[in-house]
Amino acid sequence: MATFVLIHGGGGSAWDWHLLVPELTGRGHDVVVPELPIEDSSAGFAEFCETVVNAIGGRGDLVVVAHSYGGFTGPLIADKLPVRLLVLLNPMIPRPGEKPGDWWDNTGYRGPEGLSEQQQFFNGVPADVVARAAAHGRDQVSGEWNEPWPLDAWPRVPTKVLIGREDRFFPADFQRRVAADRLGTAPDEIDGGHALTLSHPKQLADRLTGYLRPAGGG
């Protein structure tokens, strides 16, 4: 049994994972779903790490799954604790010393034009789930946006990048380029958009648990 540590993205909450959690527990795994202190203007990367580490407690066999902006936090946990595997899901992949606010220009990101927020983030998500999403979003006012990412190098932990082929916010070609440039790797791919946890929870759970098998990860 592994412990999946699920780290939400920008403006997110534990709710973002609520469809994936039963898929993982139903396969016999433990799940930890911390909520980062994004509504606290005094919180930064240190406080994010403290929140996640405290939520993990004494659990072991850790698999950290970091979604989108959570890609800045996931590697910090892998640097602090004995993590078995780090999975970056439709991620922002940081470089040492990079401020999150600088990531967009540094990667050459260009946002999609002519799409609503719902079309960018929730394509493929059932309408009833989309209707509930706004009630679970949170204002991100925390201070890490202008804080240099604190690691000097990527943690020495096996790392997978997993992307949604239909992601409109971070298009697949963009994600492939950033993953190659920053980690020297080609992402694994799955059907779905940016909110894979809400659109394809079963398929995502299959892929995540597949990584735990000796021949998994393809």
Side-chain angles (χ1 to χ4, degrees), residues 13-165:
S13 69
W15 182 86
D16 299 348
W17 305 96
H18 79 282
L19 298 178
L20 180 65
V21 169
E23 294 289 346
L24 293 173
T25 57
R27 291 162 170 78
H29 300 287
D30 192 9
V31 180
V32 176
V33 195
E35 292 203 340
L36 303 181
I38 64 173
E39 296 173 297
D40 180 354
S41 61
S42 67
F45 286 128
E47 289 73 24
F48 285 13
C49 284
E50 181 180 17
T51 297
V52 178
V53 170
N54 288 344
I56 292 170
R59 295 175 176 87
D61 201 13
L62 304 176
V63 178
V64 174
V65 183
H67 178 236
S68 195
Y69 189 29
F72 271 82
T73 300
L76 304 182
I77 307 307
D79 187 61
K80 287 182 175 293
L81 297 177
V83 169
R84 172 179 178 176
L85 177 67
L86 172 62
V87 182
L88 305 175
L89 182 63
N90 284 333
M92 295 174 67
I93 302 173
R95 278 181 170 158
E98 184 174 55
K99 299 176 182 179
D102 293 337
W103 179 92
W104 311 86
D105 285 341
N106 291 347
T107 58
Y109 176 75
R110 297 292 181 268
E113 297 181 359
L115 296 180
S116 68
E117 182 173 308
Q118 179 174 324
Q119 290 171 327
Q120 291 181 51
F121 292 101
F122 295 110
N123 57 305
V125 178
D128 63 315
V129 178
V130 175
R132 299 196 302 272
H136 298 277
R138 298 186 294 154
D139 291 333
Q140 182 131 5
V141 299
S142 45
E144 82 297 328
W145 186 256
N146 292 309
E147 181 182 348
W149 194 60
L151 295 188
D152 294 329
W154 198 261
R156 299 185 68 178
V157 171
T159 300
K160 296 285 187 180
V161 179
L162 179 59
I163 69 174
R165 297 185 185 95

